[in-house]
Amino acid sequence: MYDVERIREQFPVLRNRKIIYLDNAATSLTPDRVIDAIVRYYSMHRANVHRGLHKLSMEASKVYDDAHSRVASFIGAEPQELIFTSGTTEALNLVASGLKLGKGDPVVVTMMEHHANLLPWYRLRKEKGVEIRFVPVSADGGIDMNSYQEMVKGARVVSVTWVSNVLGTISPVEEMKKIAKENGAIFGLDGAQAVPHMPVDVRKLDIDFLAFSAHKMCGPTGIGALYLRRDLAEEMEPFKLGGDMISDVTLDGYLPAELPTKFEAGTPPIAEAFGFSEAINFLEELGVENIMNHVRRITKEAVKALSEMKKVRIYGPAPEEERGGLISFSIDGMNCHDVAAALDELSGICVRSGHHCALPLHKYVLGVDGTVRASFYLYNTLEEVETLVNTLNDIIG
Ligand SMILES: Cc1ncc(COP(=O)(O)O)c(C=O)c1O
C-alpha cells in the first residue's frame, strides 16, 4: 500500500518546516537516506575515484562505478551508456556540442522546450550555421504533428521534451521517434520532467539519448545523467577534456578512455553519485508505477478543482486528458509573482512563478509574461491540494 504519511516522515524538510511544497518540477525534496549516503562518502570513503590504489580510493571508485550501473538499470541502459553530468542542462550541452553537425544541418525542437534544450542548439546555429526548426504547439499543449512530419524531413537531429515543464504535456514520443527514425534522424529526449515520474526503458523506446537530473527525483543537486546510445557515444566528441577521460596522452594528442569515462573529465560529483544511487533505491522500493499513479491522482484533483474556479485560467491539456504532475495557471488581473507570494504568505505554499525557463513558449504560444506553477511529487497529499484551492479562493476574494 502506498502510505504517503510514512513516506513524508522520511523527508527532513517536511518534518522541520511548516510548508506545503508544490515546487517539485523545479527540484524535489531529499529523504534522510539520500542525505545519509552523501554523508557516508564524506565521513567514510572520502577519496578521489579512479586515481589511487589505496583503500579509500578503491572504495569510492567502486561505489561511483556501481552508481552508474544503478542509474543505468533504472532506465534499462548499460552502464557504459550512462554518463554522469551536472544535470539535464549539461547533458544536452554535451549532446549538442558532441554531434558532428555543420552548416545547414536541420535540428528539430518544439515550441515548448526548456532553455536547456534550446540554447545549446542556438549556439550551433550561431557558430556552425545549423538550422533550427521549431514545431508549433498549441496553448493546450498539443504538438502539431503535421508540421512535425514535414519538419523532420531531412533533419539530422530531433531533440524534444518528453514532459513539458510548463504545460504538463506528455509528448507522443513513440510516434515522434518512429517518424524521426523513418527519416534517418537522431532522436533524443529531455527527460527532466519524465524520468522522475514514470517507468522508463530506453531499449524499448529505442531512442538515441535521454537527459535527466537527480535533484528532481529525490537525489542531490549537482548531478544528472545522459543516456547515450553506444554507437553514437563511440563516434561523438567529448564535451570536456582533461583528467580521467583518456587512455593515453602523447605530445601529439590523446586517446579517449572507454565509455562512459570518455565523457567524464575531471573529478566527478562523487558524493552526489552516492546520493543519486540511493535515490534510485528509494524510488524503486516505493515503485515508480505507484509514484506515477499517486502523482496522477493528486494532479487530476488539482486540475479539476482549478478548472472550475472563476478567474483562473489553466494551461496545458484539457482536464480529462493525461498530463505530467504539474499545473500552470494564471488569475485574471493578477501578476503571477503576486499570486505565488500570496500563496506562500497565507498558507506556506511553495510554487514557482514566471516563465519557467521556457520564454519562447510564453512569448509565442501562451502570450503571457509568466504563469504560476504547482507541481507534485510522491509525498504530496490531497489535503495539500485542498489548501491550495482554498487559499487561491481567498486570494481571488
Ligand atoms: C524540461 C526541463 N528540461 C531541462 C531542465 C534543466 O534541468 P537542470 O537545471 O537540472 O539542468 C529542467 C529544469 O527545470 C526542465 O524542467
Side-chain angles (χ1 to χ4, degrees):
M1 219 211 35
Y2 195 87
D3 185 348
V4 73
E5 285 312 320
R6 242 209 74 229
I7 292 169
R8 289 174 70 82
E9 282 163 15
Q10 300 174 55
F11 285 81
V13 168
L14 296 177
R15 293 197 303 268
N16 299 333
R17 306 293 305 266
K18 244 185 118 35
I19 51 145
I20 294 181
Y21 190 75
L22 302 181
D23 195 15
N24 295 285
T27 197
S28 66
L29 302 177
T30 322
D32 293 307
R33 58 194 279 180
V34 170
I35 299 168
D36 293 346
I38 296 167
V39 171
R40 202 156 53 240
Y41 165 68
Y42 285 115
S43 55
M44 289 301 292
H45 310 289
R46 173 69 201 237
N48 215 326
V49 294
H50 307 154
R51 285 162 176 78
L53 288 178
H54 59 81
K55 260 199 247 32
L56 289 189
S57 180
M58 302 285 263
E59 288 162 13
S61 301
K62 171 149 182 20
V63 181
Y64 181 73
D65 294 341
D66 286 351
H68 277 96
S69 310
R70 197 73 202 87
V71 180
S73 77
F74 186 68
I75 57 160
E78 295 297 321
Q80 296 80 6
E81 297 173 312
L82 199 287
I83 299 154
F84 281 143
T85 63
S86 65
T88 305
T89 304
E90 189 180 89
L92 293 167
N93 272 275
L94 190 161
V95 173
S97 71
L99 290 170
K100 293 175 181 143
L101 298 177
K103 195 166 169 49
D105 281 342
V107 173
V108 174
V109 296
T110 72
M111 286 295 288
M112 62 182 173
E113 301 305 324
H114 187 283
H115 299 159
N117 191 34
L118 285 178
L119 273 52
W121 306 112
Y122 284 13
R123 176 153 65 194
L124 292 191
R125 180 169 63 183
K126 192 165 163 213
E127 292 178 358
K128 295 190 174 170
V130 308
E131 179 203 346
I132 305 177
R133 297 176 179 170
F134 298 90
V135 181
V137 298
S138 51
D140 67 3
I143 295 176
D144 180 341
M145 288 304 285
N146 289 333
S147 300
Y148 177 74
Q149 186 109 35
E150 282 308 304
M151 288 180 175
V152 172
K153 285 184 185 152
R156 289 282 317 279
V157 183
V158 175
S159 182
V160 292
T161 188
W162 190 343
V163 175
S164 159
N165 65 317
V166 179
L167 301 172
T169 305
I170 304 173
S171 302
V173 293
E174 188 53 46
E175 192 185 345
M176 293 177 94
K177 187 256 338 227
K178 190 165 168 281
I179 296 169
K181 295 278 158 181
E182 281 165 6
N183 285 274
I186 293 167
F187 182 83
L189 294 169
D190 171 349
Q193 301 294 346
V195 178
H197 288 273
M198 55 175 94
V200 173
D201 186 330
V202 289
R203 281 277 168 275
K204 270 200 203 129
L205 280 168
D206 188 26
I207 56 176
D208 297 309
F209 63 87
L210 172 68
F212 54 105
S213 300
H215 70 92
K216 295 185 199 287
M217 46 200 289
C218 296
T221 58
I223 189 166
L226 173 67
Y227 158 73
L228 200 50
R229 191 203 280 272
R230 199 181 186 127
D231 49 353
L232 193 60
E234 304 275 7
E235 69 188 41
M236 269 172 59
E237 289 297 325
F239 167 54
K240 294 188 290 188
L241 303 177
D244 211 30
M245 53 74 63
I246 52 89
S247 65
D248 192 19
V249 181
T250 64
L251 292 186
D252 293 327
Y254 73 95
L255 279 176
E258 294 293 312
L259 294 170
T261 314
K262 169 181 162 184
F263 291 102
E264 295 185 359
T267 299
I270 307 167
E272 290 78 3
F274 274 53
F276 196 179
S277 184
E278 192 56 33
I280 298 287
N281 292 339
F282 176 67
L283 298 183
E284 287 202 325
E285 282 171 32
L286 288 179
V288 181
E289 205 143 303
N290 296 333
I291 296 168
M292 182 178 78
N293 292 336
H294 176 76
V295 173
R296 268 198 191 156
R297 201 164 128 243
I298 303 263
T299 310
K300 224 181 181 100
E301 283 302 315
V303 170
K304 184 168 172 288
L306 264 67
S307 62
E308 285 165 2
M309 285 171 80
K310 278 195 289 232
K311 295 196 179 176
V312 172
R313 175 169 178 210
I314 65 170
Y315 301 90
E320 62 283 3
E321 279 178 36
E322 234 186 273
R323 64 157 71 209
L326 59 92
I327 172 167
S328 294
F329 60 94
S330 54
I331 296 181
D332 291 350
M334 281 195 79
N335 179 285
C336 61
H337 300 302
D338 293 340
V339 177
L343 285 170
D344 191 9
E345 200 172 303
L346 295 174
S347 301
I349 298 174
C350 309
V351 293
R352 179 154 174 204
S353 51
H355 54 67
H356 317 296
C357 301
L359 269 168
L361 174 69
H362 282 80
K363 272 186 216 262
Y364 306 114
V365 181
L366 305 182
V368 291
D369 290 338
T371 50
V372 185
R373 180 183 70 191
S375 51
F376 311 100
Y377 206 25
L378 50 92
Y379 32 68
N380 289 122
T381 63
L382 288 171
E383 290 73 40
E384 290 179 322
V385 170
E386 206 177 309
T387 309
L388 170 71
V389 172
N390 291 340
T391 313
L392 282 173
N393 272 324
D394 290 345
I395 292 169
I396 293 166

